[in-house]
Amino acid sequence: MSTTSGVNVLRYSALAFGVFYGFTHQRSISSATRAAAAKREYQHKQQLIEQARAEYVKSKNPAPPSKSALNQDPMDPNFDLEAYFNELAAQNP
């Protein structure tokens, strides 16, 4: 009778150990998954922040207009009205 009770103690001990191991292993897997998801979310937020910064800089500092060699001062004696109109037409099609 003592061998049967010893075997039962061994079986239930193995079962308890298996349940405990499964619980701890599942917990470590879940925490790793949560950490990876949090890292992905943080990187996505960082990307959005960098994109917003770039758009803000672009909106606050627009590209300077292209300087053309064309004289645009109508009071200058070298002013060419036809060249000015051609340049204006090329900029605004």
Side-chain angles (χ1 to χ4, degrees), residues 17-36:
F17 177 73
V19 168
F20 176 74
Y21 174 76
F23 176 74
T24 56
H25 188 64
Q26 181 63 35
R27 194 168 166 192
S28 68
I29 290 172
S30 297
S31 67
T33 304
R34 277 194 305 267

Side-chain angles (χ1 to χ4, degrees), residues 62-79:
S66 62
K67 284 287 196 177
S68 63
L70 186 62
N71 186 1
Q72 296 182 357
D73 183 16
M75 296 302 189
D76 189 13
N78 294 331
F79 179 70

Side-chain angles (χ1 to χ4, degrees), residues 8-50:
N8 283 340
V9 167
L10 185 62
R11 285 181 183 168
Y12 284 112
S13 296
L15 176 65
F17 177 73
V19 168
F20 176 74
Y21 174 76
F23 176 74
T24 56
H25 188 64
Q26 181 63 35
R27 194 168 166 192
S28 68
I29 290 172
S30 297
S31 67
T33 304
R34 277 194 305 267
K39 184 177 180 181
R40 277 194 312 272
E41 182 180 352
Y42 180 77
Q43 289 174 345
H44 179 67
K45 286 181 180 181
Q46 286 292 80
Q47 178 196 14
L48 290 176
I49 289 170
E50 290 300 321

Side-chain angles (χ1 to χ4, degrees), residues 53-67:
R53 272 192 193 136
E55 290 296 323
Y56 179 77
V57 167
K58 192 185 336 178
S59 71
K60 290 298 179 184
N61 298 329
S66 62
K67 284 287 196 177

